[in-house]
Amino acid sequence: MNETAKIPENDPPNESGGPPALTQTIVLVGLMGAGKSCIGRRLAQRLNVSFVDADTEIEQAAGCSIAEIFEKYGEAAFRDGERRVMSRLLEGPPTILAAGGGAFMDAETRQLIRQHAVSVWLRADLDTLASRTKGRGHRPLLNNGDPRETLAKLIEVRYPVYAEADITVDTGVDNPNVTCARVVEALAGVVAIEETSAS
Ligand code: S3P
């Protein structure tokens, strides 16, 4: 949580008392290291709506870390939990929702996202993903073998599916605020949003 340490993990809902600034949940999808949580938090602040990190919700529901879920129960059990948590979140009030990298690969979850949300793929190249995930041990998929190779394989398998998202925004070395502004711009034509501050 380095770059966003001052912002709470999952922000409280909009308490301004005004009408919700968002009519539909915005789901951020993309590979590990694409910046879904980082951009999601900024986007939520900018739109004055709550931010939810699906991975955090899964950890809270399980009472342990994602690494521990993989270790104790295996990936299939994690994916079941992820599907249930995503379904609950997608059926709730509109938020900015950062999905785990594998969530959009699940056909049922993708269908729910289509029904209830607008999806934004944060597309990043291999170098960006490799450098942003380097030296961080909390992602079980990158803890065995060469993480760069794993990411390259995941790009091959997942990018054609992520491409089904409603909106694609490229993210790389740019300042996160620049990427966030690009997301806002791209969303403007697709979903009713009301900006509360220009950060
Ligand atoms: C995963 C991505 C992770 C987390 C889990 C599996 C994946 O989330 O859900 O480790 O399959 O790509 P982030 O994309 O937020 O790192």
Side-chain angles (χ1 to χ4, degrees):
M1 292 301 133
N2 52 353
E3 70 279 33
T4 50
K6 286 190 208 125
I7 305 171
E9 189 69 7
N10 281 351
D11 296 347
N14 174 8
E15 281 163 4
S16 66
L22 204 60
T23 51
Q24 259 180 308
T25 287
I26 294 167
V27 183
L28 300 175
V29 304
L31 262 186
M32 297 169 276
K36 301 179 295 284
S37 303
C38 170
I39 302 301
R41 283 196 186 88
R42 279 174 171 75
L43 190 60
Q45 281 206 326
R46 191 158 162 166
L47 303 180
N48 192 29
V49 293
S50 44
F51 169 73
V52 178
D53 187 310
D55 284 346
T56 305
E57 293 285 325
I58 295 165
E59 289 180 332
Q60 278 169 2
C64 62
S65 72
I66 287 177
E68 285 166 339
I69 303 173
F70 268 70
E71 206 182 303
K72 284 190 201 159
Y73 310 108
E75 181 171 351
F78 168 76
R79 297 298 173 198
D80 285 345
E82 180 173 54
R83 191 180 308 110
R84 282 196 298 274
V85 166
M86 285 297 288
S87 161
R88 168 172 62 79
L89 296 173
L90 286 162
E91 279 163 12
T95 59
I96 305 297
L97 172 57
F104 200 68
M105 298 306 293
D106 181 85
E108 212 175 299
T109 301
R110 246 187 352 268
Q111 181 55 27
L112 272 184
I113 290 175
R114 268 192 211 109
Q115 273 168 12
H116 295 276
V118 173
S119 50
V120 179
W121 173 24
L122 294 179
R123 180 171 61 189
D125 63 21
L126 179 58
D127 285 342
T128 303
L129 298 170
S131 81
R132 288 212 194 125
T133 52
K134 201 171 176 180
R136 310 193 62 192
H138 67 287
R139 294 182 171 104
L141 294 185
L142 300 182
N143 288 346
N144 293 316
D146 176 2
R148 192 183 167 91
E149 259 174 44
T150 305
L151 285 167
K153 280 185 198 139
L154 288 172
I155 284 177
E156 244 180 77
V157 174
R158 291 185 179 180
Y159 276 20
V161 180
Y162 291 162
E164 293 179 27
D166 298 310
I167 292 169
T168 299
V169 171
D170 281 309
T171 166
V173 289
D174 294 322
N175 178 303
N177 289 329
V178 172
T179 306
C180 183
R182 266 198 227 126
V183 173
V184 171
E185 201 182 319
L187 282 169
V190 177
V191 62
I193 52 172
E194 182 189 308
E195 280 211 69
T196 50
S197 66
S199 49

